[in-house]
Amino acid sequence: MTDVLQVDPTAPDPELIARAAECLRAGGLVAFPTETVYGLGAHALDRRAVQRVFAAKERPATDPLIVHVAAVDDIASLVAEVPRAARDLAARFWPGPLTMVLRRSELVPDEVTAGLDTVAIRVPSHPIAQALLQSARLPIAAPSANRFSKPSPTRAAHVLADLRGRIDLIVDGGPTSVGLESTVLDLAHQPPTVLRPGAIDAATLRSILPDVRLRSSPAERGTTGMPAPGMLPKHYAPATPLTLFEGDRASAIAEIVESARRHRERGQSVAILAFGEDLEQLRALRAQLVDLGSEGDPPAVASRLYAALREGDELGVDVLLVRNITTDHPLSMAIQDRLRRAASPVPLPPSP
Ligand code: TXA
Ligand code: MG
């Protein structure tokens, strides 16, 4: 049985939070909102609890988890050392959507780190996540609360759809605000490298740490030499094949129109994940449309993206079509990255 607790995100009820914290202390699995996506939390120092996370998600044991703590002062026992750069970044970006990969201490179980000599750590800012961490007084290991290979959950309903009956509790605090997972920055190796783009972009990180570099996206790099399977290109895919069209707005729309026509000639049903600006033009296509929000408002697109991918999947069509965001914005790279990972490598059907 999975219980659902409705908790007001602006003023989390201490009694409900205490119940969730008690469940975590006892080795239970609790899904809770963070500012990025819902996490599936477990006592990070309890090997059995962590093993249950992998089982519930059907996640390969080779994919390490992020450990969440209430404040930067709580990381000392989890890491071998706190480098100066980590302190500076924490002062500026914690609590918030930044995960730092640091050298681990002996305390952190191998189950959490997948046997690596590093551990990923984050201080979330969501009031429910904060209240839970403070009440439980534990480091909480929490991957996104989705089944492995499904889009990350940005609402409690997504968690229920994927994990009902597999976890003990869901703290429902409404939709998450950022909508994409945290920026993952590796500080354990030189130079410091962004392993996963997120809401805090590289340019912003460089204002604190000038030598931060970007790792080329796995979707562009092929499948070799990845340090963590969580970075696999297929990680966020909907079940329905999704074709992504890149390039400038006009040519990407033209390609979508052409692709929809070809699929329909083959008797295949089509849905388009469309930016608000494109809806008018695409309505003529007789394809189902899922609104991604305005391309001019990347934060709105980010917060809707995973829900839109799930909605697209639920339409039961043969193919989904989408174009990439072209807006110049700190969030655009993270949105482009998630769309590339969600897209199938399947090429367009050839002209008949
Ligand atoms: O926003 C987020 O980060 C959310 C919320 C719940 O905090 N969590 C999340 O966790 O997205 P997950 O497990 O879905 O993604 C964690 C990512 C994976 O890509 C994993 O490979 C990487 O972090 N990671 C974890 N530990 C690592 C390590 N020691 N070295 C390199 N990458 C690591
Ligand atoms: Mg995940």
Side-chain angles (χ1 to χ4, degrees), residues 34 36-39 57 59 63-66 68 99 101 113 116 118-120 122 142-144 180-182 184 195-196 228-231 235:
T34 80
T36 58
V37 300
Y38 274 75
K57 280 183 57 98
R59 175 175 173 125
D63 193 358
L65 307 184
I66 296 172
H68 298 67
T99 295
V101 174
T113 66
L116 297 174
T118 56
V119 60
R122 173 161 113 78
S144 49
L180 302 178
E181 306 83 349
S182 61
V184 178
L195 300 179
R196 179 174 71 184
M231 310 293 171
H235 198 52

Side-chain angles (χ1 to χ4, degrees), residues 80-141:
E81 54 160 351
V82 184
R84 175 70 198 271
R87 268 183 215 294
D88 293 347
L89 289 165
R92 170 82 157 77
F93 300 112
W94 278 357
L98 174 66
T99 295
M100 296 191 224
V101 174
L102 299 168
R103 302 227 164 272
R104 63 181 276 199
S105 74
E106 295 292 308
L107 195 65
V108 184
D110 283 339
E111 282 81 355
V112 170
T113 66
L116 297 174
D117 59 1
T118 56
V119 60
I121 303 186
R122 173 161 113 78
V123 175
S125 65
H126 193 291
I128 290 178
Q130 270 293 327
L132 191 56
L133 284 160
Q134 285 167 26
S135 173
R137 295 170 187 280
L138 296 171
I140 300 179

Side-chain angles (χ1 to χ4, degrees), residues 215-240:
R215 202 178 61 150
S216 57
S217 116
E220 287 162 2
R221 241 165 12 112
T223 52
T224 53
M226 273 178 277
M231 310 293 171
L232 280 172
K234 285 297 291 177
H235 198 52
Y236 301 86
T240 314

Side-chain angles (χ1 to χ4, degrees), residues 1-4 23 28-32 38-41 52-53 55-57 145-146 156 159-160 162-171:
M1 264 301 292
T2 300
D3 288 333
V4 181
C23 182
L29 302 190
V30 177
F32 61 96
Y38 274 75
L40 176 57
R52 289 185 63 208
V53 169
K57 280 183 57 98
N146 51 298
V159 182
L160 260 183
D162 282 10
L163 299 176
R164 188 197 293 269
R166 294 169 165 247
I167 65 177
D168 300 294
L169 199 60
I170 299 175
V171 181

Side-chain angles (χ1 to χ4, degrees), residues 7-339:
V7 175
D8 178 351
T10 59
D13 179 334
E15 275 178 36
L16 298 177
I17 294 295
R19 208 175 124 190
E22 189 43 51
C23 182
L24 285 167
R25 267 196 299 268
L29 302 190
V30 177
F32 61 96
T34 80
E35 68 278 21
T36 58
V37 300
Y38 274 75
L40 176 57
H43 184 335
L45 307 181
D46 177 341
R47 290 173 194 274
R48 275 182 195 284
V50 173
Q51 285 163 0
R52 289 185 63 208
V53 169
F54 285 90
K57 280 183 57 98
E58 297 174 26
R59 175 175 173 125
T62 49
D63 193 358
L65 307 184
I66 296 172
V67 177
H68 298 67
V69 293
V72 65
D73 294 339
D74 300 330
I75 76 175
S77 66
L78 304 172
V79 300
E81 54 160 351
V82 184
R84 175 70 198 271
R87 268 183 215 294
D88 293 347
L89 289 165
R92 170 82 157 77
F93 300 112
W94 278 357
L98 174 66
T99 295
M100 296 191 224
V101 174
L102 299 168
R103 302 227 164 272
R104 63 181 276 199
S105 74
E106 295 292 308
L107 195 65
V108 184
D110 283 339
E111 282 81 355
V112 170
T113 66
L116 297 174
D117 59 1
T118 56
V119 60
I121 303 186
R122 173 161 113 78
V123 175
S125 65
H126 193 291
I128 290 178
Q130 270 293 327
L132 191 56
L133 284 160
Q134 285 167 26
S135 173
R137 295 170 187 280
L138 296 171
I140 300 179
S144 49
N146 51 298
R147 288 260 197 128
F148 187 70
S149 90
K150 287 282 193 103
S152 289
T154 52
R155 296 158 193 210
H158 299 159
V159 182
L160 260 183
D162 282 10
L163 299 176
R164 188 197 293 269
R166 294 169 165 247
I167 65 177
D168 300 294
L169 199 60
I170 299 175
V171 181
D172 180 352
T176 64
S177 55
V178 176
L180 302 178
E181 306 83 349
S182 61
T183 304
V184 178
L185 177 67
D186 183 357
L187 289 175
H189 305 94
Q190 280 299 326
T193 302
V194 174
L195 300 179
R196 179 174 71 184
I200 300 174
D201 71 334
T204 306
L205 292 171
R206 282 185 199 119
S207 68
I208 305 289
L209 200 57
D211 53 344
V212 166
R213 67 149 197 211
L214 280 173
R215 202 178 61 150
S216 57
S217 116
E220 287 162 2
R221 241 165 12 112
T223 52
T224 53
M226 273 178 277
M231 310 293 171
L232 280 172
K234 285 297 291 177
H235 198 52
Y236 301 86
T240 314
L242 172 77
T243 307
L244 172 66
F245 297 90
E246 308 226 30
D248 66 274
R249 174 170 188 255
S251 43
I253 293 178
E255 285 183 273
I256 285 180
V257 170
E258 174 62 11
S259 172
R261 189 185 63 76
R262 283 195 225 154
H263 281 296
R264 285 245 304 287
E265 276 174 10
R266 283 172 170 67
Q268 293 177 321
S269 54
V270 176
I272 303 168
L273 310 184
F275 294 113
E277 290 85 344
D278 303 352
L279 289 173
E280 198 57 42
Q281 206 175 335
L282 295 174
R283 261 193 253 283
L285 285 178
R286 287 194 296 128
Q288 300 193 68
L289 300 178
V290 177
D291 190 350
L292 281 176
S294 166
E295 187 178 25
D297 186 0
V301 172
S303 78
R304 254 199 68 63
L305 183 64
Y306 286 140
L309 286 173
R310 284 177 184 258
E311 282 165 33
D313 237 0
E314 281 158 15
L315 292 175
V317 294
D318 296 308
V319 287
L320 296 170
L321 308 178
V322 67
R323 72 177 177 89
N324 222 330
I325 192 164
T326 58
T327 320
D328 184 19
H329 186 277
L331 265 170
S332 295
M333 179 174 218
I335 296 170
Q336 288 160 1
D337 170 77
R338 302 312 190 274
L339 282 170

